[in-house]
Amino acid sequence: MITREAMKLPKFNELIVSESWTMPWESNEYDRTLYNHNQLLDLYEGGDGVKTGYTSKSGSCLVGSASRDGLRLIGVVLNCDAHYEEMCKLLDYGFASYESQQLAEAGDMIGSVKVLNGNVKRLDVVLAEDARITVEKGTRIESEPEYDFPPAMEAPLADGQIIGTARYTDGKGTVSEIPICVKGEAQRYTFGLVWKSVWRMFFGAFLDLPPVEE
């Protein structure tokens, strides 16, 4: 569960697949290099993490991760001498038994939001990521999503700003939550922006200026 939450951080995912990292060592003529001891990165197809460990009381431990065809699996073995062998068996079982089913694509429009005090009246609302849910292989589901985002928001709004979530379920308790964002940006009305709009309205036709977006 800790690993699953940590994987939401892009920097964490970057670190756990790095084979080595060199850092400067002040007051010395050479740098220090740290090496990743996780052999799963080379042993297993799609291996992308996560952490090895050992103490005399806990024995050899491994949190492993691998990704294939849009599905990422996490496995944990504790006090296990053959930790890599057993991890590969766990991951093989997972990929043989489950698959990631795509229900919608990032960028799919799901509605719009009213913009208050902005230079545009409405902005489209889209999925920020692909909507996927993990199911047993051979299972086909049709999930009616639940959208949770406000009907109106104050400007300014940035392109891609997260404003809510979409929830998908397989009907058996598995839930996938996908962030929802706005497409396009909205500037907040200021005196300068109003004056610019008025100026373009009256003089744009003579100077061949593009109209102000509404």
Side-chain angles (χ1 to χ4, degrees):
M1 293 174 65
I2 295 173
T3 297
R4 184 175 61 183
E5 290 301 309
M7 284 176 171
K8 296 178 181 179
L9 305 174
K11 190 65 176 179
F12 180 82
N13 289 278
E14 177 185 338
L15 291 174
I16 61 178
V17 295
S18 300
E19 295 186 358
S20 64
W21 183 65
T22 301
M23 60 182 179
W25 193 353
E26 295 182 3
S27 303
N28 286 273
E29 297 180 356
Y30 54 90
D31 297 329
R32 289 176 294 182
T33 301
L34 307 178
Y35 294 96
N36 190 339
H37 295 287
N38 186 0
Q39 300 177 29
L40 193 69
L41 301 177
D42 298 319
L43 285 175
Y44 198 80
E45 179 185 352
D48 52 14
V50 175
K51 180 71 176 71
T52 62
Y54 174 84
T55 69
S56 58
K57 291 185 177 181
S58 67
S60 295
C61 303
L62 176 64
V63 179
S65 170
S67 300
R68 295 180 187 174
D69 301 324
L71 176 62
R72 191 175 197 180
L73 299 179
I74 303 169
V76 180
V77 293
L78 306 174
N79 193 20
C80 178
D81 292 334
H83 49 300
Y84 287 112
E85 180 182 347
E86 294 303 317
M87 179 60 66
C88 290
K89 291 179 181 178
L90 277 176
L91 295 173
D92 282 345
Y93 167 77
F95 286 120
S97 304
Y98 296 91
E99 64 182 354
S100 178
Q101 192 171 131
Q102 183 166 322
L103 305 178
E105 294 184 359
D108 283 355
M109 190 174 76
I110 59 174
S112 64
V113 61
K114 183 179 180 180
V115 179
L116 306 176
N117 300 316
N119 65 323
V120 295
K121 297 179 180 179
R122 303 193 73 86
L123 286 176
D124 290 340
V125 177
V126 301
L127 293 178
E129 304 172 0
D130 289 344
R132 290 181 171 273
I133 198 164
T134 301
V135 297
E136 292 186 23
K137 280 194 171 180
T139 302
R140 291 300 170 203
I141 64 171
E142 294 183 4
S143 178
E144 289 295 330
E146 299 178 2
Y147 302 127
D148 181 15
F149 64 94
M153 296 189 68
E154 288 273 352
L157 293 169
D159 183 31
Q161 181 173 329
I162 303 300
I163 64 169
T165 57
R167 291 170 55 87
Y168 297 81
T169 177
D170 64 353
K172 299 179 181 180
T174 302
V175 177
S176 176
E177 291 193 351
I178 308 299
I180 293 172
C181 66
V182 293
K183 183 179 181 180
E185 64 177 20
Q187 302 178 37
R188 186 173 181 83
Y189 260 132
T190 61
F191 176 79
L193 186 59
V194 173
W195 171 248
K196 181 179 180 180
S197 300
V198 173
W199 192 88
R200 284 178 176 266
M201 183 182 301
F202 283 99
F203 298 102
F206 298 100
L207 300 178
D208 194 27
L209 297 174
V212 176
E213 182 181 0
E214 295 184 356

